[in-house]
Structures are given as C-alpha cells and as structure tokens.
Amino acid sequence: MPPSLSRTSLNSLSRCRCPTNTVPLRSFSTTPSLASIGPENPKFIEIPVPPQHQALPKIDVKGTLPPPRNIFPRRAGDKISPEYLAAVTPEPLSQTTPQNEFVAWKRRMAESRRTNLREGLVELHKRKTLQDKMVAARSKNRSIAREKALHAPQREDERLTNPTVTELNRTLQTGPVPDPGRATRVEEKKARVEAIALAKEEERRDALHTLYMNARSFITTEEELDAEIEKIFVADPHERGNMDSNIWTAVRPPPSIQQMLSAVNNTQKEAVKFHAGPAALTGRRMKKIAQELTGGRMD
C-alpha cells in the first residue's frame, strides 16, 4: 500500500520545480505564481482578503489646471459652418508642383494643420453640444423633482404629528412652557443650597477652633525655636553604650496598620497591653463624643 500524503505536502510538492526540466510551463492565470514572488514581497504569504470594499487611496495631484477657454462664444457666430471653416483654413492659391521634397513636406504639413483644425472644431462643438444637453437635462430633472415635491400631498406622518407640533409652537409663542412642579423643585434646591452653606460654615468654625487649640504649642519666639531645635537635633539619640546606628532603636517607629487594628480589636502580642483594661480606649471614645457634642476640639 503506497504511503498517504497530506494536502499540505501535495501543495508544497506542486510549488517545487525541477531544475532539469526544460519544458516551458504555461500558466492559464493572470495571477503571478508563488514561485515568482520572493520572500521579501508582502504577497509571499497568502492572506485571505475580506469580502468588503477597500478604501481607495487619496491621490495627491500636484498643481492645478487652468480653466478651459470658451472657444464657442455667442458673439463669434457659427464656427462649424463651411464659410467659417473656409475662412480660417483657406486653400493655397497656387497648385504648382513642388520643386523639392522640403516644399512638398511643408505643403503636407499645412494640409494636415488645416484638416486638424476643421476636425477639431467640429468635434469640440459636438462635445460642447452634448455637455449643454446633459446640463439642461439635469437642471430640468431637478426642476421637475422640485415641483413634484412642492405640490405633493401631505404625508401621513406629517398629518398625524402636525396638530401636536402646532399646539407646542403656539404654547412657546405665548410664553414659557407651563411647569406645575417648578415651585417644589425650587424649594428643594433652595434647601439643598442652604444645607451646603451651613455645612461649610460649620467646617470653617471647626477649623478655626482647632487652630485656636493648636495655637498653644506654636513657636512664637526665637528662644522657643532654639529650645525645640536643641531638643530634636541631638548629637547621639541612642542610650549610653548603644553602638547601633538605627534611629528606630532610639525613637519608636510609627505604628503600622496592623498595630492600630490590634489596639482596636484588643489582640496585642504584648502581655501588658493585652491584659490592660478598656479604660484608655473608652477615654478616647468619650473624648470624641464630647468633641462632637461641644462642637470643638478638646485637649
């Protein structure tokens, strides 16, 4: 039984060409084969194209063309009449035999110019006539469509909505739209504004009282400033005999979140704090309640 080959293997074999084959291959398709496309080409890997219209690239045209000149003005008359063509392309007066090849060539070129001028005028007049007919037909169609829309009967949706729209327009022209709940909304907004203003006033009063209570520890003289500096900036904050350079051994570190939660939940690891009564926590809570009742900070 011969070994079976997959479809991928068959496709790869069909793309290979034997170098010793001398018979020319003829393709019946206009699409370039994959063998003639290099790996650097974006089309080397076959990617399916989506079934949708691709956006056309914008072509940047350099420069501008001058407007075409009107070669058939009304005052010029009929430029395709035999009289006008005979006047602008007169035939030579003498029909003698040319003396040499140069004179014959000049006569052939003159005849060619006369023929081109006649045919050019006739073709340009045909083109102008066709364009004028197209413009007139387009304008006539637009006029007919406008007249048809102008004299068309009233649509069904307009007939059904016209009474409501007319009533609304009449109401707007006579004055503002009636609003039954306006007074209630105005009172609610007024109460809300007054509540916000009262809350701001209480906040300012509380901030002023807190500033007054904290003013006891303010530094107001140079002697107090020098004393505070000498108290904080010492030469050696550690105890005598302690050679440790860590500042947190001399000054207690700030409490962590876990320590604060332990103090609230009474789950401290230290025996003294764990067996201490709730007097300290109760005192802090009573102090906060007293501050809320009195409306200010208390020491």
Side-chain angles (χ1 to χ4, degrees):
M1 181 177 180
S4 60
L5 296 177
S6 62
R7 183 175 297 179
T8 306
S9 302
L10 293 176
N11 291 338
S12 61
L13 290 175
S14 63
R15 294 178 181 177
C16 298
R17 294 183 179 181
C18 183
T20 59
N21 188 9
T22 58
V23 180
L25 299 178
R26 180 180 178 184
S27 177
F28 292 95
S29 176
T30 57
T31 306
S33 61
L34 188 61
S36 61
I37 299 177
E40 68 279 358
N41 197 307
K43 297 182 179 180
F44 183 73
I45 301 176
E46 298 180 0
I47 300 176
V49 181
Q52 63 182 0
H53 296 286
Q54 301 295 331
L56 298 177
K58 182 181 179 180
I59 302 176
D60 188 9
V61 181
K62 302 292 184 179
T64 56
L65 294 176
R69 185 170 60 90
N70 185 15
I71 59 177
F72 296 104
R74 294 183 178 180
R75 57 182 176 82
D78 190 7
K79 285 190 175 183
I80 60 173
S81 61
E83 295 80 7
Y84 181 83
L85 295 178
V88 297
T89 57
E91 296 292 337
L93 299 177
S94 61
Q95 295 291 341
T96 58
T97 305
Q99 299 178 0
N100 50 35
E101 185 63 27
F102 179 72
V103 176
W105 174 77
K106 288 182 68 67
R107 288 185 180 181
R108 290 195 302 271
M109 296 303 297
E111 183 63 26
S112 176
R113 289 193 294 270
R114 287 192 293 269
T115 304
N116 293 338
L117 181 58
R118 297 191 193 104
E119 294 179 356
L121 287 174
V122 173
E123 293 298 329
L124 288 175
H125 187 269
K126 289 182 180 179
R127 183 190 302 177
K128 182 178 182 302
T129 304
L130 180 61
Q131 290 180 353
D132 293 344
K133 289 182 179 179
M134 293 174 60
V135 171
R138 191 182 303 113
S139 177
K140 183 178 179 181
N141 293 335
R142 290 179 180 176
S143 299
I144 294 174
R146 178 184 174 279
E147 292 295 331
K148 183 179 178 180
L150 183 62
H151 299 90
Q154 189 178 17
R155 297 185 306 180
E156 185 65 16
D157 56 343
E158 293 181 356
R159 185 185 67 82
L160 296 175
T161 58
N162 193 25
T164 306
V165 175
T166 305
E167 183 66 24
L168 291 177
N169 290 334
R170 186 182 300 108
T171 305
L172 291 175
Q173 292 176 0
T174 55
V177 180
D179 189 3
R182 182 177 180 277
T184 306
R185 291 201 312 274
V186 169
E187 292 297 331
E188 292 178 355
K189 292 181 180 180
K190 184 178 179 181
R192 185 164 58 250
V193 170
E194 292 178 355
I196 294 174
L198 182 60
K200 290 183 178 180
E201 184 180 358
E202 292 293 336
E203 185 178 358
R204 287 194 298 267
R205 186 182 294 108
D206 184 69
L208 181 61
H209 186 269
T210 304
L211 178 63
Y212 173 76
M213 297 298 295
N214 292 332
R216 301 178 182 180
S217 60
F218 286 173
I219 298 175
T220 57
T221 60
E222 295 183 1
E223 290 77 8
E224 295 178 355
L225 178 61
D226 295 338
E228 191 68 20
I229 292 175
E230 293 295 336
K231 178 181 177 182
I232 296 176
F233 297 97
V234 296
D236 188 9
H238 301 86
E239 297 179 358
R240 182 175 298 180
N242 189 359
M243 303 302 294
D244 193 0
S245 60
N246 190 1
I247 188 61
W248 299 121
T249 58
V251 183
R252 296 181 58 184
S256 62
I257 298 177
Q258 187 64 32
Q259 292 176 355
M260 291 187 289
L261 291 176
S262 299
V264 174
N265 300 327
N266 196 18
T267 58
Q268 297 92 337
K269 295 183 180 180
E270 299 179 5
V272 177
K273 294 183 179 179
F274 180 76
H275 294 286
L281 182 59
T282 305
R284 290 194 297 269
R285 292 177 178 176
M286 291 180 63
K287 183 179 178 180
K288 290 183 179 179
I289 295 174
Q291 289 178 1
E292 291 294 333
L293 293 177
T294 57
R297 183 179 176 183
M298 297 176 63
D299 290 340

